Amino acid sequence: MPLFGKVLIANRGEIALRVQRACRELGIPTVAVHSTADAEAMHVRLSDESVCIGPPSARDSYLNMASILSAAHVTGADAIHPGYGFLSENAAFAEMVEAHGLTFIGPSPDHIRMMGDKITAKAAMMRLGVPLVPGSDGALSDLDAAREVAARVGYPVLIKAAAGGGGRGMKVAESEDELSEAWHVARTEARAAFGNDEVYLEKYLDRPRHIELQILADNHGHVVHLGERDCSLQRRHQKILEEAGSPALTAAERDEIGATATTALRQLGFRNAGTLEFLYQDRQFAFIEMNTRLQVEHPVTEMVCGIDLVREQIRIAAGEPLGYTQADIEFSGHAIECRVNAEDPETFMPTPGRIQAYHAPGGLGVRVDSALYAGYFVPPYYDSMIAKLIVHAPTRPQAIARLRRALEEFAVLGIKTTLPLHQRIVEDPQFQAGDYTIHWLEKFVAEHLGD
Ligand code: ADP
């Protein structure tokens, strides 16, 4: 008996395909949903069934809860996988799915809500003994309160939106002179982007790495971690390239933060897949947020652990126990993922348009997660990521050699992409040495591309 009768995938692009693949291997039929702009998309073509849920604008289609629930109803789906982005961290949607008698393939609505507000997330983690970045205890009531906390933790500081995501609503103040402006800009941005101008303050770390931990938890109290991903290569707080494991971490450090995190999430009663994000500097971890969904960069973890994370999400949602313990999880080799965006590699302006020719690299240890094909039109309405190139090899130097070779093979003609940026990154001696922090890529771009 399959775990579900039919799964509706409330997403598009590569992640819709990714979830479809896991369902197919589990013998579960799938329903694709799509906007009118995506009628020809690969996730629609490869699905067992598809339903048009609205016009191109995401607000009217992929974020339209009523349309998606109707699509589930008319097709007889009994579970919904939200992918990442769109409704994946929307607690009200998860609640609505459950209220309609369907299974939401993800964490409980309460945990989605708790972690969706970074202030309540940090308070929960503090209670559970997870180390935090120094900063305000909760939301700041006014600018004077911000001044007080900033003086206590020391400049530079970061004003961050409680509802933040995608690097928005975040402003640095180097000194007290800049605090007022950072405060106003962060609040205005947060209000515009999230309809919530609550902000808090953190010490701005000058040379951290972004290291995150993948968690899986079943409904029977078993919680494991699948190791870390190093996502320090970022532009405007957006990840560009990710690695598993981190070039900076020792196995003992991984075990220690893993034990802290799994203990905390077991106490919280967390279930399904989630990621704890940390900043790591001077061999110290400091929690910044938790994502209660599958991450874009999950494949690097899959490659080093040999565990299909989407399959695990589906099994857990169906009530199955994990069936393995922390001791059973082994890390093998090194994996790197490049996010390929439909963007000009020098100006980063989006480049929607027709794909004239497409050739994906292959061979041992090469994986491409993408919904592209020759003749496809990349629409201007959605996120610009069009492919993920993932390589896996026994060692990091071998993974880099494989990545260089795979990038050479990768051909996406008709539009500009960020493939040339990745080609430059892999040639860089500092990258090759693993010697980088979250600020490295911005500098690299400024130096090499005259940004
Ligand atoms: P979002 O939810 O918008 O992605 P995060 O809190 O996850 O925001 O932070 C995104 C990125 O911003 C981090 O990966 C890191 O590069 C940077 N960042 C966040 N907090 C700090 C901090 N206190 N000091 C330095 N950089 C930070």
Side-chain angles (χ1 to χ4, degrees), residues 118 160 165-167 170 202-203 205 210 234 237 277 289:
K118 294 185 184 183
K160 296 174 82 171
M170 209 186 288
E202 269 177 8
K203 181 162 183 63
L205 301 183
H210 173 119
Q234 303 180 357
H237 307 303
E277 296 193 337
E289 68 162 342

Side-chain angles (χ1 to χ4, degrees), residues 60-79:
D60 299 322
S61 51
Y62 297 104
L63 292 171
N64 185 335
M65 304 188 209
S67 283
I68 291 169
L69 284 165
S70 306
H73 183 68
V74 298
T75 54
D78 54 357

Side-chain angles (χ1 to χ4, degrees), residues 8 31-35 43-44 47 49-54 62 67-68 70-72 74-75:
L8 181 141
V31 180
V33 293
H34 67 90
S35 69
H43 79 278
V44 177
S47 185
E49 282 174 80
S50 65
V51 180
C52 180
I53 48 164
Y62 297 104
S67 283
I68 291 169
S70 306
V74 298
T75 54

Side-chain angles (χ1 to χ4, degrees), residues 9 61 64 76 113 132-133 175 220 222 225 257 264 270 273 283 309 319 336 342 353 368 391 395 409 422 432 445 450:
I9 301 163
S61 51
N64 185 335
R113 191 167 281 121
L132 308 181
V133 180
S175 64
H220 310 278
H222 306 115
H225 73 84
I257 193 67
F270 183 80
R283 313 222 80 89
L309 278 165
I336 306 177
V368 177
V391 296
T395 64
E409 283 177 32
H422 289 294
Q432 289 173 3
V445 166

Side-chain angles (χ1 to χ4, degrees), residues 89 118 122 133-134 156-170 172 194 200-212 231-239 277-279 281 286-291 293 437-439:
E89 288 175 297
K118 294 185 184 183
K122 285 186 79 172
V133 180
V157 297
L158 196 57
I159 306 280
K160 296 174 82 171
R168 282 174 304 172
M170 209 186 288
V172 183
F194 315 111
Y200 62 106
L201 185 147
E202 269 177 8
K203 181 162 183 63
Y204 184 66
L205 301 183
D206 60 347
R207 51 194 157 76
R209 300 178 82 107
H210 173 119
I211 294 184
E212 58 184 35
C231 313
S232 302
L233 292 200
Q234 303 180 357
R235 182 178 170 271
R236 305 209 166 145
H237 307 303
Q238 301 256 32
K239 298 162 187 166
E277 296 193 337
F278 298 92
L279 296 179
Q281 181 172 311
F287 171 84
I288 48 172
E289 68 162 342
M290 178 169 185
N291 292 317
R293 57 170 165 83
T437 72
I438 59 164
H439 305 301

